[in-house]
Amino acid sequence: MRRPAPRVRFWEDSMVIPTSEAGLPDPNPPFDLFNTGRFLNYPYTLRHNLADRRVPRKWRTLNLENEYLKCIVLPDLGGHVYTCIDKINGASMFYANPSIKYARVAYRGIWAALGIEFNFPVSHNWMTVSPVDFAMKRERDGGASIWVGNIDRVYGMQWRVQLTLHPGCACLEQKTTLYNRSNARHRFYWWTNAAVEVWDDSRIRYPMEFTSGHGFADIDTWPVNLAGVDQSIVGNQKYGPVSRFSYASREPYMAVYHPRTQSGVVHYSSPLDLPTKKIWSWGNDEDGLDWRAALSDNDSAYVEVQAGLFRDQETYGFLEPQESRSFTECWIPIRELGGVSRANRDAVLNVNRRAVSSDTVAVDVILNVTRELRNARVSVLDGLQTIAFARASLSPRKTFRKIFSGLPLSATYTIELRNELGEIILQHTEGKYDFASRENIQTGKQLSHERPPEATFGADDFLLLATDQESNGELLVALKTYQRGLAQFPDSIALNRAAGRLEVVLKENRVAVQHLSKALARVSSDHEATYYLGQALAAEGDDRAARTQWEFAQQSGSYHAAAMVALAALESREGQRERALRIAQELVSNRPDLIQAGGMEVALLRVLRRQAEARKRLRFWRQKDPTCSLLRYEALRLGANDPALLEHLAGDPERILEIAADYIRFGLHEEALDVLSRQYPSGSEVVSEPGALHPSSYPLIAYYRGHCRYALGKDGRADFEAGSSMPTSYVFPNRAESFPVLRRAIAVNPNDATAHLLMGSLYLSGGMTEAAMQEWEAARRILPAIPTLHRNMGYTVLRSGGSPERAIEHFREGMSYDSHNVDLILGLEEAMDRAGRPAIERARTLQSFPGLQSAPSALVFRLARLLAEAGEFDPAEELLVNRFFAKEEGGTDVREVYVALRLKRAKSLAAQGQYGAALRIVRHLGEPLASLPFTTRRLGPFVASNTARQAMEEIEAMCR
């Protein structure tokens, strides 16, 4: 009798990894209105403060181990899978970087290269190196799972990943769920991104003949591209980064194989789950080698094996409110295969043929399996006829190899693996893959849509442009596009509906009511418009009218769940808890993926004193999502002991507000008050981001607490007073639920400067500049020394087209209170530039910054360029001495600045007739200087850039 496989082990532990020192985040809120770069981050902090030092740091680890694999997950680094070791040969499937070395790559800044990264709703997302929700659970088959996930602050959507090892299986299973638990649609994509360590002879084995570039700009051939380079060999990638998406292939697997170690990794996911594959590499040119040094301490190389939902990473979709999506992937270690011809979650095959004589061949069949297959049969078929076979008991512990000799040369062979019951486990025919026909594919540059001039736009053109802007996260830009469209086409149903929907997202509910009502006046059966009109009316306090809209909207499949959740919340707010419970239970009986609704079902059962039912339903929902803090808190209220939950909530006050907001939406103010009033632990057991405030010092916690007391007929004045005296650093309000909270605080105490500051930030999070400035002016009159206040006001003036002189006043006044805030001095210089002030005056302004020696690179580079423009080259170059400049993807490199400064000096010398000195600079430009360590490595590409070459040619011409 076959002995059952031992149960999978799982445990929590820690490990010490040398880690870059990361300083405090930028205290300035990165409002969308102020953004001039690629990434939109509000209400998150920016994390740009890095040092070139690694220190030993203890990281919590979540561990899974069966007889074949040992996996480690780092919950405090975005839930990355750090490593998964093949216990048979000791090789890790993924890049277990021996040091966590940060560079500026991610949305918020710092990022590290290691293991598997989970990207939702954007790439290198806001929590990629931050603590996330996590749990561990035993599975019914004796397996075990690690769960990681997060609810983002920008959109309120959740991702969660279940990583499972099953007994007796050499495969790491990854199940992902994406869930829009908010009340509005939001953009998203998903990319699983696995870093795999490589060497020059490593092979990228993707079953495809063509690849597409970013934005579908071009189609190239694979593995040998149109330039004749075999890009599947890592050592050949000498011409810049390789970033290619699979095209015209439905094959469900991809692999990387290392001849050096005779090992590798296979990723498998059905095209019904994740249809697109991507390969990324920094490459082996000078810039690629530079990135190796920036991201590791041992110059190790890696590639990224990626799988996604959409055809490229410029393509986003929208998740509707209460919509969820789930999909499954598998990661399989491989060894001693030599390559990969076919893979699924049960087996990986490599097939080679070699000539034996002029008319016969030997077919070499090599197999790895992910589970034991007793008395398996490996067959070679010519069409339907079996011409050779072998029987063997296969195991993940050992690679199977069989050479079938003397086979006719002319035939195309099929390799078939069957188990002892005769069921097909894997089947592969030589050279046969699920590719689109080559004759239908045009390689090279692809035609792109040329948008017509806006002067010729119709209503649909405005709609398309704004929708594209929304999909890129540019909500304020999109709203302006809708507004321009409505100025020309005021009766457009589509534009009124879309503008109204976006205004709800941006919390501009009053004007949303107007646009949505206008759309419905023309087409009363529009379920989308009725749903969002309900949201806007409820936000404006008209629950009765909102109910009518949601009752109609729930007839639509797209809006049924969201409308029913809204109706249940409305009933509960009105005290009809039984009715609210019935609505919620009817909804989740058909939608067991609605975790938020499930949490409120449990809460309502508990509040209605149906404790036994509440515990039963809680068990059901925690099987669905053991990471959910709301469900864990409900377990606490039902008598469970979970000190780790309170430590987890203490690590990020916004987690507490998320729970409280869920309760408040349902009118459960007593429950919200409970979670807001807890005494949360502090100390080493609480894991937080740098700079995170403790809940006891977080003003929004206090304000919400006071709001709940007033809602319960109690006095919340003491809570509001406490909130008004708390620090506001890193407190960036964004939730629509914060409007009534802060309005009540200001009504109780109109001289609460903190409440006015936060209310202004809440308004500006939706682009409402006038309302924001009114609140900030009130705060300024009461307490002008509040940090970031004048910075916010100055940039709001600049970005909304106001007078630069007015902005200058705000920035100068702010510097008298907050002189070390670098944004104030940078904003002041920008405003002076707009006002036409000369370069030397602006340079002197920047030089007055009191923290110049430790100033961030943005200030240093700006000042260096201004000094050079003013002809002060020595102090410009001295700014670059004895500083660390963090590597930033797509950002300015210090070597680029250095080369530009030197060439500007040379040009100045040439203009003065000092031709010899000018030419010496040009001729020695690429030589290292001991005083500038960054010049000792890979200066060549910057000297050889088109901009530098053009400048050198101009200088040489001047010197003739």
Side-chain angles (χ1 to χ4, degrees), residues 277-547:
K277 322 298 183 189
K278 181 190 175 185
I279 184 66
W280 160 265
S281 167
W282 291 108
N284 289 323
D285 61 354
E286 287 199 67
D287 187 57
L289 297 175
D290 207 29
W291 275 105
R292 291 188 191 184
L295 292 168
S296 74
D297 284 324
N298 61 358
D299 289 331
S300 49
Y302 70 94
V303 297
E304 292 174 0
V305 175
Q306 301 187 23
L309 291 168
F310 304 131
R311 75 175 183 179
D312 55 35
Q313 289 167 339
E314 288 68 38
T315 302
Y316 286 82
F318 290 101
L319 273 182
E320 298 295 341
Q322 298 302 321
E323 182 183 0
S324 70
R325 296 192 185 186
S326 297
F327 41 87
T328 301
E329 306 163 69
C330 296
W331 301 95
I332 303 165
I334 54 176
R335 71 191 83 87
E336 300 171 352
L337 285 176
V340 176
S341 301
R342 174 72 56 191
N344 61 24
R345 61 183 302 153
D346 298 309
V348 184
L349 168 72
N350 191 34
V351 180
N352 295 299
R353 63 158 61 196
R354 57 183 173 82
V356 175
S357 66
S358 60
D359 57 358
T360 64
V361 296
V363 175
D364 192 1
V365 176
I366 315 173
L367 274 166
N368 287 164
V369 293
T370 62
R371 54 191 171 87
E372 300 247 347
L373 292 175
R374 291 178 180 248
N375 198 27
R377 175 176 165 130
V378 180
S379 304
V380 180
L381 292 82
D382 181 359
L384 299 176
Q385 181 182 1
T386 299
I387 60 173
F389 72 91
R391 285 213 175 260
S393 289
L394 307 183
S395 168
R397 297 183 184 278
K398 188 174 181 180
T399 299
F400 170 86
R401 181 169 188 171
K402 176 70 176 177
I403 300 174
F404 295 93
S405 299
L407 304 181
L409 174 66
S410 58
T412 298
Y413 296 108
T414 297
I415 311 302
E416 194 175 79
L417 170 64
R418 292 179 181 263
N419 64 15
E420 61 185 335
L421 299 177
E423 299 165 330
I424 295 178
I425 302 300
L426 182 143
Q427 188 179 70
H428 173 69
T429 300
E430 291 179 294
K432 185 176 180 181
Y433 294 95
D434 195 353
F435 297 155
S437 174
R438 295 177 67 94
E439 63 189 28
N440 295 326
I441 296 169
Q442 182 69 44
T443 58
K445 186 177 180 180
Q446 300 298 295
L447 293 175
S448 59
H449 172 68
E450 295 292 333
R451 187 172 285 118
E454 190 167 307
T456 67
F457 270 20
D460 287 347
D461 296 306
F462 281 107
L463 185 68
L464 285 170
L465 174 58
T467 300
D468 185 59
Q469 291 163 340
E470 281 195 72
S471 74
N472 289 320
E474 299 171 319
L475 302 189
L476 301 182
V477 176
L479 183 58
K480 288 185 179 297
T481 301
Y482 287 131
Q483 290 168 344
R484 293 197 307 275
L486 284 168
Q488 293 188 41
F489 305 98
D491 295 325
S492 167
I493 297 169
L495 285 173
N496 275 286
R497 178 179 59 231
R501 181 197 60 241
L502 182 53
E503 286 155 352
V504 169
V505 172
L506 293 171
K507 304 177 282 284
E508 297 189 32
N509 293 291
R510 189 167 300 170
V511 66
V513 169
Q514 298 171 11
H515 285 134
L516 293 165
S517 298
K518 191 168 186 178
L520 285 165
R522 297 282 301 279
V523 181
S524 62
S525 59
D526 188 325
H527 293 97
E528 180 181 9
T530 54
Y531 169 74
Y532 282 103
L533 179 56
Q535 293 292 342
L537 289 166
E540 289 294 297
D542 192 347
D543 278 352
R544 182 180 179 84
R547 182 198 304 275

Side-chain angles (χ1 to χ4, degrees), residues 566-619:
L567 286 167
L570 189 154
E571 296 287 1
S572 186
R573 287 197 302 274
E574 294 182 346
Q576 301 297 323
R577 303 283 163 72
E578 290 281 4
R579 192 178 299 170
L581 177 62
R582 286 196 298 272
I583 293 172
Q585 289 183 325
E586 179 185 348
L587 174 61
V588 299
S589 66
N590 297 313
R591 288 286 306 277
D593 57 314
L594 300 179
I595 304 299
Q596 183 188 38
M600 299 318 298
E601 177 197 15
V602 175
L604 288 168
L605 285 167
R606 177 178 54 78
V607 168
L608 291 167
R609 302 186 185 280
R610 292 158 64 173
Q611 311 294 78
E613 291 176 74
R615 290 189 179 92
K616 180 179 179 181
R617 293 301 291 165
L618 178 64
R619 287 192 294 272

Side-chain angles (χ1 to χ4, degrees), residues 819-838:
S819 62
H820 284 80
N821 187 332
V822 70
D823 268 21
L824 282 169
I825 198 112
L826 286 172
L828 176 58
E829 189 275 327
E830 181 183 339
M832 293 171 68
D833 185 22
R834 292 197 187 185
R837 309 287 174 87

